[in-house]
Amino acid sequence: MNLSVTLGRMTLKNPVVLASGTCGYGREIAPYLDLNTLGAITVKGLSLFPWEGNPPPRLFEVRAGLLNSIGLENKGVERFLQEDLPFLEALDTRVFVNIWGKTVEEYVAVARKLDAIERIDALELNVSCPNVEKGGASFLLDPEALRELVGRVREATGKFLIVKLGPKLQDWEVTVRILEEEGAEALSVTNSFPAMVVDVERMDFVFAMKSAGLSGPAIKPLALKMVYDLVGMTELPIIGMGGIMTAEDALEFLLVGARAVGVGTANLVAPSSAVDILEGIKAYLLRKDMENIEDLIGRVR
Ligand code: RRO
């Protein structure tokens, strides 16, 4: 059975990717699954300097999903390189590193530092964090700011460049053309959805920032529609994600044309979910008498 997929010049041994923010820097999730069985792991978003993130509570479960307000917490690129890179060096899977900055210059500086590290296969630009005022989804609301950001990061690195989009996209056609023109090589679709919870006893918002990012099964059909629409708009390969909990969920995204799938919230429910999802995809291919995963990508259009 051939499970390998290509995303432009990037080849993955299979289409199952761990989504950023749900698997730490790799070492945290490693005891619970064999990372080498997966297509790629995406490290939590790194910034130039360590960042504390938001006050608690940071997570809140709802009936069909999870809200988070982590607020971009991370140890910063230098500590990541010292403490976590050695572990990642020994892995036999693709390593994607999500990055963010408060300014274009900060994104560029992080990209430069990571560009020098051979082990890192791709950078994923986070332009869709729902939980900060600046440097997050604001790039999606301002096409010219997005153009400058992607163009400047493109100049700073020869790494495979992924851009992670979120639901706050304004004009999708305009955004996609900008990303193509500025040298993005793949899209991750989608980040979490801006959402809210009120604590009726306290008569206040659950989260300090009021709004938080909704992920999990609640957003799967929304994310699927975003992926379907974007596949129809661009030749850029798409890593589909949003509420993928089972192999069937993952297959839906592949069938509408995603070339890989991100497993995120499921990792927080059962950290070995991605392996189960991969096994389920294999079982489906066997049952359908298909030898090549390519034969199902984009079959439902
Ligand atoms: O850290 C977060 O609160 C966060 C980020 Br950067 C993101 O991109 N998506 C999300 O749901 N949470």
Side-chain angles (χ1 to χ4, degrees):
M1 193 180 285
N2 182 7
L3 291 171
S4 79
V5 292
T6 54
L7 310 173
R9 63 180 165 126
M10 168 77 60
T11 304
L12 305 183
K13 67 172 103 167
N14 65 65
V16 179
V17 175
L18 295 182
S20 178
T22 62
C23 52
Y25 305 104
R27 284 192 294 158
E28 296 88 339
I29 200 168
Y32 306 101
L33 79 179
D34 181 359
L35 288 169
N36 295 327
T37 60
L38 303 178
I41 166 173
T42 317
V43 168
K44 169 72 179 162
L46 291 171
S47 51
L48 190 54
F49 303 109
W51 191 254
E52 259 192 40
N54 290 342
R58 287 177 161 193
L59 294 177
F60 189 89
E61 277 186 71
V62 291
R63 206 163 295 140
L66 177 70
L67 286 92
N68 84 82
S69 179
I70 310 302
L72 297 143
E73 182 194 334
N74 77 100
K75 59 170 70 177
V77 66
E78 291 297 345
R79 263 185 66 199
F80 163 76
L81 293 176
Q82 279 170 23
E83 296 172 10
D84 303 288
L85 184 66
F87 169 80
L88 297 171
E89 294 273 9
L91 290 183
D92 177 28
T93 187
R94 297 285 186 198
V95 175
F96 297 170
V97 177
N98 186 288
I99 66 171
W100 69 276
K102 293 189 295 305
T103 61
V104 171
E105 282 65 34
E106 283 187 13
Y107 273 96
V108 168
V110 181
R112 280 228 174 84
K113 284 188 192 285
L114 296 172
D115 186 62
I117 312 297
E118 204 174 328
R119 181 63 191 88
I120 294 171
D121 297 296
L123 301 186
E124 182 183 68
L125 279 191
N126 190 354
V127 292
S128 50
C129 175
N131 297 328
V132 281
E133 265 136 44
K134 274 239 137 210
S138 56
F139 282 106
L140 291 183
L141 300 177
D142 181 348
E144 286 318 305
L146 183 67
R147 180 186 294 286
E148 195 206 344
L149 174 66
V150 179
R152 294 274 310 281
V153 171
R154 180 70 289 175
E155 283 166 15
T157 180
K159 297 282 185 203
F160 188 80
L161 187 59
I162 305 165
V163 176
K164 184 159 186 177
L165 300 177
K168 268 194 166 172
L169 263 187
Q170 263 203 330
D171 187 326
W172 294 33
E173 283 281 352
V174 169
T175 304
V176 161
R177 295 292 91 82
I178 288 172
L179 296 175
E180 289 168 351
E181 285 163 19
E182 297 304 323
E185 293 177 88
L187 308 178
S188 288
V189 183
T190 175
N191 210 317
S192 57
F193 280 63
M196 184 175 271
V197 208
V198 166
D199 181 332
V200 295
E201 286 308 320
R202 284 178 36 248
M203 293 197 203
D204 201 356
F205 299 101
V206 164
F207 292 104
M209 305 280 289
K210 299 184 184 177
S211 178
L214 178 64
S215 63
I219 70 164
K220 193 198 69 181
L222 302 167
L224 190 68
K225 167 80 166 128
M226 282 180 72
V227 168
Y228 171 85
D229 287 345
L230 284 163
V231 165
M233 261 179 229
T234 179
E235 297 288 310
L236 289 176
I238 292 177
I239 307 168
M241 62 190 78
I244 295 178
M245 310 299 281
T246 65
E248 195 176 341
D249 296 333
L251 287 162
E252 285 187 82
F253 281 84
L254 295 169
L255 285 166
V256 302
R259 300 194 55 80
V261 287
V263 178
T265 303
N267 301 327
L268 308 182
V269 178
S272 60
S273 295
V275 173
D276 300 337
I277 288 168
L278 178 60
E279 289 307 311
I281 292 172
K282 288 185 199 165
Y284 174 86
L285 288 173
L286 264 181
R287 184 157 61 77
K288 293 289 184 190
D289 216 7
M290 293 170 109
E291 292 208 331
N292 199 329
I293 191 131
E294 284 287 346
D295 296 340
L296 67 86
I297 292 176
R299 221 169 137 143
V300 178
R301 292 296 306 169

Short mmCIF file of all heavy atoms in Angstrom, two decimals, residues 68-124:
data_model
loop_
_atom_site.label_atom_id
_atom_site.label_comp_id
_atom_site.label_asym_id
_atom_site.label_seq_id
_atom_site.Cartn_x
_atom_site.Cartn_y
_atom_site.Cartn_z
N ASN A 68 -10.00 27.14 23.65
CA ASN A 68 -8.71 27.40 24.27
C ASN A 68 -8.36 28.88 24.18
O ASN A 68 -8.75 29.57 23.24
CB ASN A 68 -7.60 26.55 23.63
CG ASN A 68 -7.05 27.19 22.37
OD1 ASN A 68 -6.19 28.07 22.43
ND2 ASN A 68 -7.57 26.76 21.22
N SER A 69 -7.63 29.29 25.20
CA SER A 69 -7.08 30.64 25.20
C SER A 69 -5.69 30.56 25.81
O SER A 69 -5.45 30.99 26.94
CB SER A 69 -7.98 31.58 26.01
OG SER A 69 -7.41 32.88 26.02
N ILE A 70 -4.79 29.93 25.08
CA ILE A 70 -3.42 29.75 25.57
C ILE A 70 -2.66 31.08 25.46
O ILE A 70 -1.88 31.44 26.33
CB ILE A 70 -2.69 28.65 24.75
CG1 ILE A 70 -3.54 27.37 24.63
CG2 ILE A 70 -1.31 28.35 25.34
CD1 ILE A 70 -3.94 26.73 25.93
N GLY A 71 -2.95 31.78 24.39
CA GLY A 71 -2.33 33.10 24.22
C GLY A 71 -0.89 33.03 23.75
O GLY A 71 -0.06 33.85 24.14
N LEU A 72 -0.60 32.03 22.90
CA LEU A 72 0.70 31.94 22.21
C LEU A 72 1.87 31.58 23.12
O LEU A 72 3.02 31.78 22.76
CB LEU A 72 1.02 33.26 21.47
CG LEU A 72 0.04 33.63 20.36
CD1 LEU A 72 -0.19 35.14 20.33
CD2 LEU A 72 0.56 33.19 19.01
N GLU A 73 1.58 31.07 24.30
CA GLU A 73 2.68 30.72 25.22
C GLU A 73 3.71 29.83 24.52
O GLU A 73 3.36 28.86 23.85
CB GLU A 73 2.15 29.97 26.44
CG GLU A 73 3.30 29.64 27.39
CD GLU A 73 2.96 28.62 28.45
OE1 GLU A 73 1.79 28.48 28.81
OE2 GLU A 73 3.90 27.96 28.91
N ASN A 74 4.97 30.18 24.68
CA ASN A 74 6.05 29.31 24.20
C ASN A 74 7.37 29.71 24.83
O ASN A 74 7.51 30.79 25.40
CB ASN A 74 6.13 29.32 22.67
CG ASN A 74 6.78 30.57 22.12
OD1 ASN A 74 7.95 30.57 21.77
ND2 ASN A 74 6.02 31.66 22.06
N LYS A 75 8.35 28.80 24.74
CA LYS A 75 9.64 29.01 25.42
C LYS A 75 10.61 29.86 24.61
O LYS A 75 11.70 30.15 25.09
CB LYS A 75 10.26 27.67 25.77
CG LYS A 75 10.51 26.77 24.58
CD LYS A 75 11.35 25.54 24.95
CE LYS A 75 10.63 24.55 25.81
NZ LYS A 75 11.43 23.33 26.09
N GLY A 76 10.20 30.24 23.39
CA GLY A 76 11.10 31.05 22.56
C GLY A 76 12.03 30.16 21.75
O GLY A 76 12.36 29.04 22.13
N VAL A 77 12.45 30.68 20.61
CA VAL A 77 13.18 29.86 19.64
C VAL A 77 14.53 29.36 20.19
O VAL A 77 14.92 28.22 19.93
CB VAL A 77 13.32 30.62 18.30
CG1 VAL A 77 14.20 31.86 18.43
CG2 VAL A 77 13.85 29.71 17.21
N GLU A 78 15.23 30.18 20.99
CA GLU A 78 16.56 29.75 21.47
C GLU A 78 16.46 28.54 22.39
O GLU A 78 17.22 27.58 22.25
CB GLU A 78 17.27 30.90 22.20
CG GLU A 78 17.70 32.05 21.30
CD GLU A 78 18.74 31.64 20.25
OE1 GLU A 78 19.35 30.55 20.39
OE2 GLU A 78 18.91 32.40 19.28
N ARG A 79 15.55 28.62 23.36
CA ARG A 79 15.41 27.48 24.28
C ARG A 79 14.92 26.24 23.54
O ARG A 79 15.32 25.12 23.85
CB ARG A 79 14.45 27.82 25.43
CG ARG A 79 15.19 28.28 26.68
CD ARG A 79 14.23 28.49 27.84
NE ARG A 79 13.59 27.27 28.30
CZ ARG A 79 12.48 27.25 29.03
NH1 ARG A 79 11.88 28.37 29.38
NH2 ARG A 79 11.95 26.11 29.42
N PHE A 80 14.04 26.44 22.56
CA PHE A 80 13.58 25.30 21.75
C PHE A 80 14.79 24.61 21.09
O PHE A 80 14.91 23.38 21.12
CB PHE A 80 12.59 25.78 20.69
CG PHE A 80 12.37 24.79 19.58
CD1 PHE A 80 11.59 23.66 19.77
CD2 PHE A 80 12.96 24.98 18.33
CE1 PHE A 80 11.41 22.73 18.75
CE2 PHE A 80 12.79 24.06 17.30
CZ PHE A 80 12.01 22.93 17.51
N LEU A 81 15.67 25.42 20.52
CA LEU A 81 16.82 24.83 19.81
C LEU A 81 17.72 24.07 20.78
O LEU A 81 18.24 23.00 20.45
CB LEU A 81 17.60 25.92 19.06
CG LEU A 81 16.85 26.56 17.89
CD1 LEU A 81 17.66 27.69 17.27
CD2 LEU A 81 16.48 25.52 16.83
N GLN A 82 17.90 24.62 22.00
CA GLN A 82 18.75 23.96 22.98
C GLN A 82 18.11 22.71 23.57
O GLN A 82 18.75 21.68 23.73
CB GLN A 82 19.06 24.91 24.13
CG GLN A 82 20.17 25.89 23.80
CD GLN A 82 20.28 26.98 24.88
OE1 GLN A 82 19.87 26.77 26.01
NE2 GLN A 82 20.83 28.10 24.50
N GLU A 83 16.82 22.83 23.95
CA GLU A 83 16.20 21.78 24.76
C GLU A 83 15.46 20.72 23.95
O GLU A 83 15.32 19.60 24.41
CB GLU A 83 15.20 22.43 25.74
CG GLU A 83 15.87 23.35 26.75
CD GLU A 83 14.87 24.15 27.58
OE1 GLU A 83 13.66 23.86 27.53
OE2 GLU A 83 15.32 25.06 28.29
N ASP A 84 14.93 21.09 22.80
CA ASP A 84 14.03 20.17 22.09
C ASP A 84 14.57 19.67 20.76
O ASP A 84 14.21 18.58 20.32
CB ASP A 84 12.68 20.86 21.88
CG ASP A 84 12.09 21.31 23.20
OD1 ASP A 84 11.65 20.43 23.96
OD2 ASP A 84 12.12 22.52 23.49
N LEU A 85 15.41 20.48 20.12
CA LEU A 85 15.92 20.05 18.81
C LEU A 85 16.66 18.71 18.88
O LEU A 85 16.46 17.86 18.00
CB LEU A 85 16.81 21.15 18.20
CG LEU A 85 17.30 20.82 16.79
CD1 LEU A 85 16.13 20.78 15.80
CD2 LEU A 85 18.35 21.84 16.34
N PRO A 86 17.48 18.46 19.92
CA PRO A 86 18.19 17.17 19.95
C PRO A 86 17.23 15.98 19.88
O PRO A 86 17.52 14.98 19.20
CB PRO A 86 18.93 17.21 21.30
CG PRO A 86 19.12 18.68 21.56
CD PRO A 86 17.89 19.34 21.02
N PHE A 87 16.09 16.07 20.56
CA PHE A 87 15.10 14.99 20.49
C PHE A 87 14.56 14.85 19.06
O PHE A 87 14.46 13.75 18.52
CB PHE A 87 13.95 15.25 21.48
CG PHE A 87 12.79 14.33 21.27
CD1 PHE A 87 12.81 13.04 21.78
CD2 PHE A 87 11.69 14.74 20.52
CE1 PHE A 87 11.75 12.17 21.56
CE2 PHE A 87 10.62 13.87 20.30
CZ PHE A 87 10.66 12.59 20.82
N LEU A 88 14.24 15.98 18.46
CA LEU A 88 13.67 15.95 17.11
C LEU A 88 14.68 15.45 16.08
O LEU A 88 14.31 14.79 15.11
CB LEU A 88 13.16 17.35 16.72
CG LEU A 88 12.02 17.90 17.59
CD1 LEU A 88 11.75 19.36 17.27
CD2 LEU A 88 10.74 17.08 17.41
N GLU A 89 15.96 15.74 16.32
CA GLU A 89 17.02 15.29 15.41
C GLU A 89 16.99 13.78 15.20
O GLU A 89 17.33 13.28 14.13
CB GLU A 89 18.42 15.66 15.95
CG GLU A 89 18.72 17.14 16.03
CD GLU A 89 19.28 17.73 14.74
OE1 GLU A 89 19.30 17.02 13.72
OE2 GLU A 89 19.67 18.92 14.78
N ALA A 90 16.61 13.07 16.26
CA ALA A 90 16.66 11.60 16.21
C ALA A 90 15.41 10.98 15.57
O ALA A 90 15.35 9.77 15.38
CB ALA A 90 16.84 11.05 17.63
N LEU A 91 14.43 11.80 15.23
CA LEU A 91 13.18 11.26 14.68
C LEU A 91 13.28 10.99 13.19
O LEU A 91 14.01 11.67 12.46
CB LEU A 91 12.03 12.25 14.89
CG LEU A 91 11.51 12.48 16.30
CD1 LEU A 91 10.34 13.46 16.23
CD2 LEU A 91 11.09 11.17 16.95
N ASP A 92 12.46 10.04 12.76
CA ASP A 92 12.35 9.74 11.34
C ASP A 92 10.96 10.14 10.85
O ASP A 92 10.15 9.32 10.43
CB ASP A 92 12.61 8.23 11.11
CG ASP A 92 12.42 7.85 9.66
OD1 ASP A 92 12.62 8.72 8.79
OD2 ASP A 92 12.06 6.68 9.41
N THR A 93 10.67 11.42 11.01
CA THR A 93 9.43 11.96 10.46
C THR A 93 9.71 13.41 10.10
O THR A 93 10.73 13.96 10.51
CB THR A 93 8.25 11.85 11.46
OG1 THR A 93 7.05 12.25 10.81
CG2 THR A 93 8.45 12.72 12.69
N ARG A 94 8.83 14.02 9.36
CA ARG A 94 9.02 15.43 9.01
C ARG A 94 8.76 16.31 10.24
O ARG A 94 7.83 16.03 11.02
CB ARG A 94 8.07 15.85 7.91
CG ARG A 94 8.30 15.11 6.60
CD ARG A 94 9.53 15.63 5.91
NE ARG A 94 9.68 15.04 4.60
CZ ARG A 94 10.83 15.06 3.94
NH1 ARG A 94 11.92 15.60 4.47
NH2 ARG A 94 10.90 14.52 2.75
N VAL A 95 9.56 17.33 10.38
CA VAL A 95 9.38 18.28 11.49
C VAL A 95 8.98 19.63 10.91
O VAL A 95 9.74 20.25 10.17
CB VAL A 95 10.67 18.40 12.32
CG1 VAL A 95 10.52 19.49 13.39
CG2 VAL A 95 11.03 17.07 12.96
N PHE A 96 7.75 20.05 11.26
CA PHE A 96 7.26 21.38 10.89
C PHE A 96 7.31 22.25 12.14
O PHE A 96 6.95 21.79 13.23
CB PHE A 96 5.80 21.31 10.41
CG PHE A 96 5.56 20.49 9.16
CD1 PHE A 96 4.25 20.20 8.76
CD2 PHE A 96 6.61 20.01 8.37
CE1 PHE A 96 4.01 19.45 7.61
CE2 PHE A 96 6.37 19.26 7.22
CZ PHE A 96 5.06 18.97 6.84
N VAL A 97 7.72 23.48 11.98
CA VAL A 97 7.75 24.39 13.13
C VAL A 97 6.84 25.59 12.85
O VAL A 97 7.06 26.33 11.89
CB VAL A 97 9.18 24.86 13.45
CG1 VAL A 97 9.17 25.85 14.61
CG2 VAL A 97 10.07 23.67 13.81
N ASN A 98 5.84 25.74 13.70
CA ASN A 98 4.93 26.87 13.60
C ASN A 98 5.61 28.10 14.20
O ASN A 98 6.29 27.99 15.22
CB ASN A 98 3.64 26.51 14.37
CG ASN A 98 2.55 27.55 14.24
OD1 ASN A 98 2.63 28.63 14.81
ND2 ASN A 98 1.51 27.21 13.50
N ILE A 99 5.48 29.25 13.56
CA ILE A 99 6.11 30.47 14.10
C ILE A 99 5.14 31.65 14.10
O ILE A 99 4.20 31.70 13.32
CB ILE A 99 7.38 30.86 13.30
CG1 ILE A 99 7.06 31.27 11.86
CG2 ILE A 99 8.40 29.72 13.31
CD1 ILE A 99 8.27 31.87 11.12
N TRP A 100 5.40 32.57 15.00
CA TRP A 100 4.61 33.81 15.04
C TRP A 100 5.48 34.94 15.57
O TRP A 100 6.55 34.70 16.15
CB TRP A 100 3.36 33.66 15.93
CG TRP A 100 3.66 33.54 17.40
CD1 TRP A 100 3.98 32.40 18.07
CD2 TRP A 100 3.67 34.59 18.37
NE1 TRP A 100 4.20 32.68 19.40
CE2 TRP A 100 4.01 34.02 19.62
CE3 TRP A 100 3.42 35.98 18.32
CZ2 TRP A 100 4.11 34.76 20.79
CZ3 TRP A 100 3.52 36.72 19.49
CH2 TRP A 100 3.86 36.11 20.71
N GLY A 101 5.02 36.16 15.38
CA GLY A 101 5.72 37.32 15.92
C GLY A 101 4.73 38.43 16.17
O GLY A 101 3.62 38.42 15.64
N LYS A 102 5.16 39.40 16.95
CA LYS A 102 4.31 40.58 17.18
C LYS A 102 4.46 41.57 16.03
O LYS A 102 3.60 42.42 15.83
CB LYS A 102 4.66 41.25 18.51
CG LYS A 102 4.31 40.39 19.74
CD LYS A 102 4.46 41.14 21.04
CE LYS A 102 5.89 41.56 21.35
NZ LYS A 102 6.88 40.44 21.36
N THR A 103 5.58 41.44 15.32
CA THR A 103 5.82 42.31 14.17
C THR A 103 6.37 41.45 13.03
O THR A 103 6.82 40.31 13.26
CB THR A 103 6.90 43.37 14.50
OG1 THR A 103 8.12 42.66 14.82
CG2 THR A 103 6.49 44.24 15.68
N VAL A 104 6.38 42.02 11.83
CA VAL A 104 6.96 41.31 10.69
C VAL A 104 8.43 40.99 10.98
O VAL A 104 8.91 39.88 10.71
CB VAL A 104 6.82 42.16 9.41
CG1 VAL A 104 7.61 41.53 8.25
CG2 VAL A 104 5.36 42.32 9.03
N GLU A 105 9.14 41.95 11.59
CA GLU A 105 10.56 41.75 11.88
C GLU A 105 10.77 40.53 12.79
O GLU A 105 11.73 39.79 12.62
CB GLU A 105 11.17 42.99 12.55
CG GLU A 105 11.49 44.13 11.58
CD GLU A 105 10.24 44.73 10.93
OE1 GLU A 105 9.18 44.80 11.61
OE2 GLU A 105 10.32 45.12 9.75
N GLU A 106 9.87 40.37 13.76
CA GLU A 106 10.02 39.21 14.66
C GLU A 106 9.78 37.89 13.92
O GLU A 106 10.50 36.92 14.13
CB GLU A 106 9.06 39.33 15.85
CG GLU A 106 9.56 40.32 16.89
CD GLU A 106 8.71 40.33 18.16
OE1 GLU A 106 7.88 39.39 18.36
OE2 GLU A 106 8.86 41.27 18.95
N TYR A 107 8.79 37.84 13.07
CA TYR A 107 8.57 36.63 12.26
C TYR A 107 9.84 36.32 11.45
O TYR A 107 10.29 35.18 11.38
CB TYR A 107 7.43 36.84 11.26
CG TYR A 107 6.02 36.56 11.70
CD1 TYR A 107 5.19 37.58 12.16
CD2 TYR A 107 5.47 35.28 11.60
CE1 TYR A 107 3.87 37.35 12.50
CE2 TYR A 107 4.14 35.04 11.94
CZ TYR A 107 3.34 36.07 12.39
OH TYR A 107 2.05 35.84 12.73
N VAL A 108 10.39 37.38 10.83
CA VAL A 108 11.56 37.20 9.97
C VAL A 108 12.75 36.68 10.79
O VAL A 108 13.47 35.77 10.36
CB VAL A 108 11.91 38.53 9.25
CG1 VAL A 108 13.29 38.45 8.59
CG2 VAL A 108 10.84 38.86 8.23
N ALA A 109 12.93 37.24 11.99
CA ALA A 109 14.07 36.83 12.82
C ALA A 109 13.94 35.36 13.23
O ALA A 109 14.93 34.62 13.23
CB ALA A 109 14.15 37.73 14.06
N VAL A 110 12.73 34.92 13.58
CA VAL A 110 12.53 33.51 13.94
C VAL A 110 12.79 32.62 12.72
O VAL A 110 13.47 31.60 12.81
CB VAL A 110 11.10 33.25 14.48
CG1 VAL A 110 10.93 31.80 14.87
CG2 VAL A 110 10.81 34.15 15.68
N ALA A 111 12.26 33.05 11.58
CA ALA A 111 12.44 32.26 10.35
C ALA A 111 13.93 32.10 10.03
O ALA A 111 14.39 31.03 9.65
CB ALA A 111 11.71 32.92 9.19
N ARG A 112 14.70 33.19 10.20
CA ARG A 112 16.16 33.14 9.93
C ARG A 112 16.85 32.12 10.81
O ARG A 112 17.68 31.33 10.36
CB ARG A 112 16.79 34.50 10.19
CG ARG A 112 16.60 35.47 9.10
CD ARG A 112 17.89 36.20 8.69
NE ARG A 112 17.57 37.00 7.53
CZ ARG A 112 17.02 38.21 7.61
NH1 ARG A 112 16.81 38.76 8.79
NH2 ARG A 112 16.70 38.86 6.52
N LYS A 113 16.51 32.16 12.12
CA LYS A 113 17.17 31.24 13.06
C LYS A 113 16.86 29.79 12.68
O LYS A 113 17.72 28.92 12.74
CB LYS A 113 16.70 31.51 14.49
CG LYS A 113 17.34 32.76 15.09
CD LYS A 113 17.00 32.89 16.57
CE LYS A 113 17.37 34.26 17.12
NZ LYS A 113 18.82 34.40 17.31
N LEU A 114 15.62 29.53 12.31
CA LEU A 114 15.22 28.15 12.02
C LEU A 114 15.72 27.71 10.65
O LEU A 114 15.94 26.52 10.41
CB LEU A 114 13.70 28.01 12.12
CG LEU A 114 13.15 28.26 13.54
CD1 LEU A 114 11.63 28.28 13.51
CD2 LEU A 114 13.64 27.20 14.53
N ASP A 115 15.90 28.67 9.77
CA ASP A 115 16.39 28.36 8.42
C ASP A 115 17.75 27.67 8.48
O ASP A 115 18.09 26.85 7.62
CB ASP A 115 16.51 29.66 7.60
CG ASP A 115 16.87 29.37 6.16
OD1 ASP A 115 16.09 28.68 5.48
OD2 ASP A 115 17.96 29.80 5.73
N ALA A 116 18.52 27.99 9.51
CA ALA A 116 19.88 27.44 9.64
C ALA A 116 19.88 25.99 10.13
O ALA A 116 20.93 25.34 10.14
CB ALA A 116 20.69 28.31 10.60
N ILE A 117 18.72 25.48 10.55
CA ILE A 117 18.67 24.16 11.17
C ILE A 117 18.21 23.12 10.15
O ILE A 117 17.05 23.10 9.73
CB ILE A 117 17.68 24.14 12.37
CG1 ILE A 117 17.93 25.34 13.29
CG2 ILE A 117 17.75 22.81 13.10
CD1 ILE A 117 19.27 25.37 13.95
N GLU A 118 19.14 22.25 9.77
CA GLU A 118 18.85 21.30 8.70
C GLU A 118 17.66 20.39 9.02
O GLU A 118 16.86 20.06 8.15
CB GLU A 118 20.09 20.46 8.43
CG GLU A 118 20.10 19.90 7.04
CD GLU A 118 21.42 19.19 6.74
OE1 GLU A 118 22.46 19.62 7.26
OE2 GLU A 118 21.35 18.20 6.02
N ARG A 119 17.54 19.99 10.30
CA ARG A 119 16.52 19.02 10.68
C ARG A 119 15.09 19.52 10.46
O ARG A 119 14.16 18.74 10.33
CB ARG A 119 16.71 18.63 12.17
CG ARG A 119 15.70 17.60 12.67
CD ARG A 119 15.89 16.29 11.89
NE ARG A 119 14.84 15.32 12.08
CZ ARG A 119 13.72 15.25 11.36
NH1 ARG A 119 13.46 16.14 10.43
NH2 ARG A 119 12.85 14.29 11.57
N ILE A 120 14.94 20.82 10.44
CA ILE A 120 13.59 21.38 10.32
C ILE A 120 13.19 21.38 8.85
O ILE A 120 13.88 21.93 8.00
CB ILE A 120 13.54 22.78 10.96
CG1 ILE A 120 13.75 22.62 12.47
CG2 ILE A 120 12.21 23.48 10.65
CD1 ILE A 120 13.94 23.92 13.20
N ASP A 121 12.06 20.72 8.57
CA ASP A 121 11.64 20.52 7.19
C ASP A 121 10.77 21.65 6.65
O ASP A 121 10.73 21.88 5.45
CB ASP A 121 10.87 19.20 7.06
CG ASP A 121 11.76 18.01 7.41
OD1 ASP A 121 12.74 17.79 6.68
OD2 ASP A 121 11.50 17.34 8.43
N ALA A 122 10.01 22.28 7.54
CA ALA A 122 9.09 23.32 7.06
C ALA A 122 8.79 24.31 8.16
O ALA A 122 8.83 23.98 9.35
CB ALA A 122 7.78 22.67 6.58
N LEU A 123 8.47 25.52 7.75
CA LEU A 123 7.97 26.53 8.68
C LEU A 123 6.49 26.73 8.38
O LEU A 123 6.09 26.79 7.22
CB LEU A 123 8.72 27.85 8.51
CG LEU A 123 10.23 27.80 8.73
CD1 LEU A 123 10.82 29.21 8.66
CD2 LEU A 123 10.58 27.13 10.06
N GLU A 124 5.70 26.83 9.45
CA GLU A 124 4.27 27.10 9.30
C GLU A 124 4.00 28.46 9.92
O GLU A 124 4.14 28.65 11.13
CB GLU A 124 3.44 26.01 10.01
CG GLU A 124 1.94 26.22 9.86
CD GLU A 124 1.13 25.18 10.63
OE1 GLU A 124 1.17 25.20 11.88
OE2 GLU A 124 0.46 24.35 9.99
#
